[in-house]
Amino acid sequence: MSRTEELPDRARVVIIGGGVVGASVAYHLVHLGWTDVVLVEQGQLSSGTTWHAAGLVGQLRATEGGTRLVQYSAELYSELERETGLATGFKRCGGVTVARTEDRMVQLRRTAATAESYDLECELISPDRAKELYPVLATEDLVGAIWLPGDATANPVDVTASLARGARDGGARVFERTRVVGIEQRSGRVTGVVTDRGAIEAEVVVNCAGQWAKAVGSLAGVDVPLHSAEHFYVVTEQIDGVHTDLPILRDPDGYTYFKEEVGGLVVGGFEPEAKPWVAPDQLPYPFEFQLLEEDWDHFSILMESALLRIPALHHTGIRKFYNGPESFTPDNQFILGEAPELANFFVGAGFNSVGIASGGGAGRALAEWIVEGEPSMDLAAVDIRRFASFNGNNQWLHDRVGEVLGLHYNVPWPNRELTSARPFRRSPVYHLLEPKGALFGSKMGWERANVFAPPGEEPTLGYTWGKPNWLPWSAREQRATRQAVAVFDETSFGKLLVSGRDTETLLQRLCTADVAVPVGRAVYTGMLNERGGYEADVTVTRLAHDRYLLVTSSASVVRDRVWIERHIGPDEHAAVTDVSSAYAVYGVMGPRSRELLQRLTRADLSDGAFPFATSREIDLGYSTVRATRITYVGELGWELYVPAEFAVGVYDALFDAGADLGVADAGYYTINSLRLDKGYRAFGPELTPDHNPVEAGLRFTCKLRSDDDFIGRAAVEQVVAEGPRRRLVSFRLEDSDPMMWGGELMLRDGQAAGQVTSAAWSDTLGACVGLAYVWHRDRGPVTAEHLTTGSFEINVGGGIHAATVGLKAPFDPGNERVRS
C-alpha cells in the first residue's frame, strides 16, 4: 500500500475513497468474484471521516431495507476477525433510548411495533428498568424507554482495516496517497480515472470519497448532493459505574447519545441548530486525521443536556473534544447507486453519521448492484436517482443540510415539512393559491398545496400524533370532491415524453400492461425489475404512433427517465425528454366535473364520446389543453395538461365558470385520503422494488394472457403459480377516534401479521382508512381464506384497534362513480 508501489494501467473496477464504505465495496466485490479491483485513497485508509466516527451500530431504521443493511453490518463485523485476523472492536452491548415526553413515548411505542413487524427484538421498558440497564442514568423526568438488545458498537478504524485486509486477500489492490484528479468517459460511459500518479482504465468507477464525494462527482459531471457539517462529541475521564458492557444510551429529547469508552463515556449528539462547514468545492487538501477547532459555545446545549441525564459528569473531566466534519444529504438518507448522468459510475456517500452502522450492508448492496446490473433489494430511499441536478446547488445544500442535521433527534412527526431554502420550485399559479390559504409542502423541490385554510384561519402546520389542526380543512375538501367538484394543482407531476421510431417496442418491453393502444388512449402500468418488483408506476398516454407521454410522481421523474434510457437498445431509435416544467396540471374531479368543463369547451365530454382512459386535445376557454379522463381520487374527472404560459388563464376560467357549482381548491392531503378510500396504490409506500404486481393486487395490469414479454414477466408468473407470500389489503378502522399515519403494525388474532403502508383520515367513511401488506407468520402463501377467517387489529401508537380488511376498496368498489 505504499506510494512506491506501481499503479496499474487498468482495472475492472476503481474505487475512490478508503473509508469504511469504500473498503466494504472492495471487500464485497472480491467475494462476488470480481477480483480485479483497485481502491485509491488520497491519504491513508480511514483518515477522512471514518476515523473520528462514534462507531454506533443501532439496528432499527426507518425502513425494513435500512434495518436489514444494519443487521448485516453487525453480523459481518462480528465474524470478520475470524476471516481476516484483524479485530473490528465489535461489541453487542444493546441500546437504551429514553423519552422525556409523552410525544416521544408515542414514537417509541411505534418504534417497538415496527421492530415487531421486522422480527427485531425490542422491549418497551420503564424508567426504573432503564436505570437497571444503565446505572449512572438519571430518570426523574423520564416517562419511559425502549431496550434494543441487538444494538452494538465497533471501532471504525479497525473495521475499515479488516475490510481492506479481506479485500486484498481476495485480490483487490489498495493504493494510499493516490489522489484522483480527473474522470475519463466516452459516449456516456465512464472509462477510467486520472490520478496524481497516472491514469487507470476501468469498466466501473465507484465514488466513495466521503465528504469529498461531491467534488469527485463534479469531475465526471455527476451531482452528488451533500454538504459537510461540523459534528461534535467529547470523551470523558473514567466514571464509577461505567463498565465495558454498558449499553448505548440515546436521549433524543436532549439531542444526545452516550457510549462507553475505556471506562468513561463518549458524549455526542445532534444539536438543534447545526453548523455547516465549508462548501464542497472548498474542502481542504490534505486533510488527514484532522479535526476542526473546539467550539464549546456551540456544544453547550449538548453538554447541559448530558449533565442532566448523567449527573456524574458534573465532577468528571474531559479527555478529548472532537469536532470532526462529515457529510450530510438534504433528506438525511445516504446515497447509493449508478449516477443518472454517467453509466457505470457508482456512488456510495453521504452517510449522515450512520456510516459505520450501514457500511457493511451498504457496501454489499452496492457491490451486488455493480455485479448484477440492478439492486438485489429495495434501495429506493437511498437511490441517487431521487435527486435532480438542482439539488446540487451549494447554497441550497448549505441551508438545507443545516436544518436536516438539526432535526436528526427531533420527534419524527408525520408529514414533517422542511422550511429552509423555500420556496424553491413554484407552479405558475402559486401566487394565486397562496392568498387563498394554501398550506404548502415540498416534494422534489415543488411547492405543493397540501391543504387550504378557510378564510380567517392561519395556514400553519401543527405537528401531532393525533388528529391535526388541518384535518377539518381537508375534510371540507373531501366533501367538495365527493359531492361537487374540486380543482387540484398537480403541476408537480413528473412528465416524460418518449419519442422515436422504436418507442412502442421499447415501452412494450418495459411495461406490464399493453401500451400498443390507439392514439388518444391512456394506460395505467408498472415497470418491473427482473425480480418482478416495481421500478416505476406510471400512466402512459399514446400521443402519436411514435410518441408517448408518461406521467409519474414528482419524486420519481429522474428515476423513471434513467430506467427507460438505460433500456434503449443500441439499434433502437427512442429518446426520453423531461417536460415536467413545460406543463401545469389541474385535476378537475367530482360528480359535477363534466358539467364544469362542458361550460368551457366545444368538445363532447359525455361518457359515450369521451370514455374513461381517453386523452385528447380540447379547447378550454381561450386555451388548448390535453384532457385525460382518469382519476386518482375515485371520482369522475379529468386531468388537464396545460402549457405553462396558459396555466393562469385556465385556472381563472375554471373558477369563474364553476362558482355556482361549488368548485373548490383542494390539496395533496385530500388526494391521499381519497385515493385510500379507493385503495389506489402509490410508488414508494405500496409499490417498491421488492413488491410484485400479484402481491400488490395489480395482476390485472399485466399482459399475462398475451405472448408479449416484458421485464419481470417470468418472476410474476412464478408468483402466480406459487401464490403470493404477502398481499396488499384495504382496511378501515372500526373506531373513529384514532389517527393513523402509516407504518403501524397489523395483527391477526393477536399476532404480528403485517404492516400498514399508507393511512389517512377519510371523511367519506368517518374513520381512518389505508393499505397494508399482510403475511403469514410461517411466510406461506396468503389466501383469501387467511384474510376472511382471522380477526384483524392495528397497533396505533400502542393502542390496539379493530380493523375491517379486504381485497376490495372500501369506497365504490365497483367503480360506478369513476365511469359515470
Side-chain angles (χ1 to χ4, degrees):
M1 294 195 299
S2 71
R3 188 174 170 87
T4 58
E5 185 179 351
E6 186 176 352
L7 206 65
D9 293 330
R10 72 166 315 280
R12 190 174 193 181
V13 182
V14 172
I15 300 168
I16 305 167
V20 66
V21 178
S24 180
V25 173
Y27 172 89
H28 287 96
L29 281 173
V30 301
H31 280 71
L32 290 171
W34 283 34
T35 58
D36 186 13
V37 174
V38 166
L39 185 152
V40 295
E41 160 58 44
Q42 66 178 354
Q44 296 174 252
L45 291 181
S46 74
S47 65
T49 297
T50 297
W51 74 274
H52 59 72
L56 309 184
V57 187
Q59 292 191 68
L60 189 58
R61 301 290 157 177
T63 66
E64 183 172 6
T67 300
R68 300 303 178 216
L69 290 184
V70 179
Q71 284 183 306
Y72 172 77
S73 293
E75 178 185 336
L76 174 66
Y77 301 162
S78 67
E79 298 293 331
L80 205 54
E81 182 178 0
R82 188 176 306 167
E83 175 189 342
T84 67
L86 295 181
T88 61
F90 181 81
K91 178 175 62 176
R92 203 178 289 276
C93 55
V96 174
T97 301
V98 300
R100 302 187 187 189
T101 67
E102 184 55 36
D103 281 335
R104 180 71 67 180
M105 200 60 219
V106 172
Q107 179 208 339
L108 296 189
R109 293 188 194 106
R110 291 174 61 90
T111 296
T114 299
E116 187 174 356
S117 71
Y118 297 164
D119 286 329
L120 189 68
E121 190 177 356
C122 179
E123 180 185 354
L124 286 162
I125 60 175
S126 67
D128 288 343
R129 174 59 177 150
K131 189 170 182 64
E132 290 177 12
L133 292 164
Y134 209 93
V136 296
L137 178 69
T139 62
E140 292 79 6
D141 61 335
L142 300 181
V143 297
I146 57 172
W147 165 238
L148 287 153
D151 280 5
T153 62
N155 183 299
V157 173
D158 290 348
V159 167
T160 305
S162 192
L163 288 167
R165 168 72 65 83
R168 289 196 304 273
D169 289 347
R173 290 167 287 178
V174 177
F175 296 88
E176 296 181 310
R177 305 203 180 285
T178 305
R179 188 185 189 201
V180 171
V181 295
I183 305 292
E184 297 187 325
Q185 53 186 288
R186 183 171 56 252
S187 302
R189 305 184 74 83
V190 73
T191 58
V193 302
V194 179
T195 79
D196 56 3
R197 299 174 55 191
I200 309 174
E201 284 186 42
E203 298 174 20
V204 175
V205 173
V206 190
N207 178 4
C208 298
Q211 60 185 336
W212 288 268
K214 190 174 192 298
V216 169
S218 68
L219 298 175
V222 170
D223 279 306
V224 183
L226 53 80
H227 196 289
S228 295
E230 300 182 30
H231 185 52
F232 307 89
Y233 67 84
V234 297
V235 181
T236 75
E237 302 286 359
Q238 292 189 353
I239 301 173
D240 289 341
V242 171
H243 54 81
T244 303
D245 296 322
L246 197 70
I248 301 164
L249 173 66
R250 298 177 181 87
D251 180 14
D253 292 312
Y255 323 114
T256 48
Y257 63 80
F258 308 81
K259 77 157 190 172
E260 185 273 338
E261 180 98 352
V262 197
L265 290 174
V266 168
V267 182
F270 299 91
E271 65 279 15
E273 293 187 14
K275 192 177 179 184
W277 194 35
V278 297
D281 56 359
Q282 297 174 355
L283 291 171
Y285 171 79
F287 193 79
E288 298 177 50
F289 298 110
Q290 290 189 44
L291 298 172
L292 304 180
E293 292 183 1
E294 298 178 359
D295 189 340
W296 284 100
D297 287 341
H298 196 79
F299 188 73
S300 63
I301 189 171
L302 301 181
M303 199 64 212
E304 289 170 7
S305 175
L307 291 168
L308 173 67
R309 189 58 49 226
I310 311 293
L313 292 174
H314 281 282
H315 46 81
T316 302
I318 302 297
R319 286 171 34 209
K320 179 72 174 176
F321 186 112
Y322 285 83
N323 179 3
E326 56 182 295
S327 57
F328 294 84
T329 64
D331 63 359
N332 206 32
Q333 298 288 335
F334 55 84
I335 296 172
L336 285 186
E338 187 176 14
E341 303 93 336
L342 185 62
N344 282 357
F345 186 88
F346 289 81
V347 179
F351 276 81
N352 306 285
S353 286
V354 297
I356 306 305
S358 300
R364 181 180 70 168
L366 192 53
E368 289 173 345
W369 194 335
I370 293 166
V371 171
E372 301 297 332
E374 62 181 42
S376 62
M377 61 183 294
D378 177 12
L379 296 173
V382 298
D383 195 317
I384 191 172
R385 293 173 295 170
R386 72 190 188 274
F387 295 120
S389 58
F390 54 74
N391 294 121
N393 178 290
N394 282 340
Q395 185 59 54
W396 183 84
L397 283 168
H398 175 278
D399 294 352
R400 177 53 56 89
V401 163
E403 180 185 9
V404 166
L405 178 54
L407 293 173
H408 196 94
Y409 269 170
N410 206 292
V411 174
W413 295 116
N415 290 11
R416 160 72 74 183
E417 291 287 353
L418 300 177
T419 60
S420 58
R422 290 180 57 193
F424 196 38
R425 305 174 78 185
R426 294 180 236 192
S427 156
V429 293
Y430 174 90
H431 69 291
L432 300 179
L433 303 184
E434 188 175 30
K436 295 174 79 172
L439 177 58
F440 289 100
S442 178
K443 191 81 167 185
M444 196 59 164
W446 286 102
E447 297 294 326
R448 311 195 310 178
N450 282 332
V451 70
F452 289 81
E457 295 200 45
E458 191 69 23
T460 56
L461 181 58
Y463 292 121
T464 177
W465 294 113
K467 291 180 178 176
N469 65 307
W470 50 261
L471 199 60
W473 311 343
S474 175
R476 187 182 67 252
E477 296 171 12
Q478 293 177 49
R479 290 192 293 274
T481 311
R482 292 277 185 247
Q483 298 170 13
V485 58
V487 175
F488 299 85
D489 179 16
E490 299 168 332
T491 299
S492 66
F493 281 2
K495 311 163 199 82
L496 298 173
L497 185 66
V498 188
S499 57
R501 182 192 66 203
D502 299 310
T503 297
E504 180 186 301
T505 301
L506 168 66
L507 292 180
Q508 281 288 76
R509 188 168 69 249
L510 291 176
C511 294
T512 62
D514 184 1
V515 298
V517 293
V519 172
R521 187 75 178 169
V523 179
Y524 171 61
T525 182
M527 297 185 191
L528 309 180
N529 53 44
E530 293 290 356
R531 298 179 289 117
Y534 278 88
E535 291 294 333
D537 173 57
V538 299
T539 300
V540 177
T541 300
R542 189 161 203 168
L543 306 181
H545 76 281
D546 61 351
R547 192 164 71 253
Y548 288 79
L549 177 68
L550 274 66
V551 179
T552 185
S553 73
S554 55
S556 299
V557 64
V558 175
R559 176 190 183 89
D560 295 355
R561 174 181 60 78
V562 174
W563 181 260
I564 298 167
E565 287 176 341
R566 295 272 162 89
H567 285 88
I568 298 173
D571 298 323
E572 287 184 319
H573 290 259
V576 188
T577 305
D578 181 0
V579 296
S580 299
S581 298
Y583 297 92
V585 181
Y586 301 129
V588 183
M589 301 289 159
R592 306 195 77 173
S593 58
R594 179 183 284 122
E595 187 178 355
L596 168 57
L597 293 174
Q598 198 67 76
R599 293 179 176 183
L600 295 169
T601 182
R602 293 179 172 84
D604 184 352
L605 301 182
S606 66
D607 188 55
F610 209 120
F612 185 78
T614 298
S615 181
R616 295 179 188 146
E617 283 196 343
I618 65 170
D619 63 287
L620 198 77
Y622 296 135
S623 304
T624 300
V625 306
R626 173 164 295 278
T628 302
R629 187 175 166 193
I630 201 165
T631 182
Y632 196 45
V633 297
E635 291 291 339
L636 172 69
W638 280 260
E639 289 176 357
L640 307 179
Y641 292 82
V642 186
E645 64 269 30
F646 298 114
V648 171
V650 168
Y651 178 86
D652 285 341
L654 290 170
F655 277 84
D656 289 344
D660 64 321
L661 302 177
V663 65
D665 290 290
Y668 276 82
Y669 290 161
T670 293
I671 291 175
N672 195 45
S673 291
L674 298 178
R675 68 107 177 169
L676 292 174
D677 282 347
K678 281 291 294 173
Y680 290 154
R681 284 68 166 148
F683 184 79
E686 288 79 45
L687 309 178
T688 80
D690 284 346
H691 292 95
N692 61 66
V694 184
E695 295 171 335
L698 296 177
R699 179 178 171 182
F700 71 91
T701 67
C702 299
K703 50 196 171 196
L704 298 180
R705 294 184 180 178
S706 75
D707 294 329
D708 295 326
D709 198 12
F710 58 88
I711 294 173
R713 175 169 181 154
V716 172
E717 290 176 329
Q718 183 176 350
V719 178
V720 171
E722 297 176 353
R725 303 290 168 172
R726 54 192 168 190
R727 294 186 81 168
L728 191 67
V729 299
S730 285
F731 71 83
R732 175 184 178 275
L733 278 189
E734 295 181 9
D735 186 347
S736 62
D737 288 336
M739 183 66 191
M740 294 183 61
W741 300 98
E744 294 86 357
L745 174 69
M746 180 164 278
L747 306 167
R748 180 180 183 274
D749 297 335
Q751 300 294 314
Q755 189 172 27
V756 174
T757 54
S758 298
W761 172 261
S762 166
D763 181 76
T764 308
L765 300 173
C768 281
V769 298
L771 293 163
Y773 275 105
V774 173
W775 57 78
H776 264 305
R777 285 194 67 81
D778 63 5
R779 302 297 177 175
V782 177
T783 63
E785 181 183 8
H786 179 77
L787 299 176
T788 56
T789 57
S791 174
F792 287 89
E793 298 169 310
I794 298 175
N795 183 327
V796 183
I800 307 300
H801 300 275
T804 301
V805 308
L807 295 175
K808 291 185 177 181
F811 176 75
D812 188 26
N815 287 327
E816 295 176 7
R817 297 172 71 95
V818 172
R819 298 182 182 276
S820 61

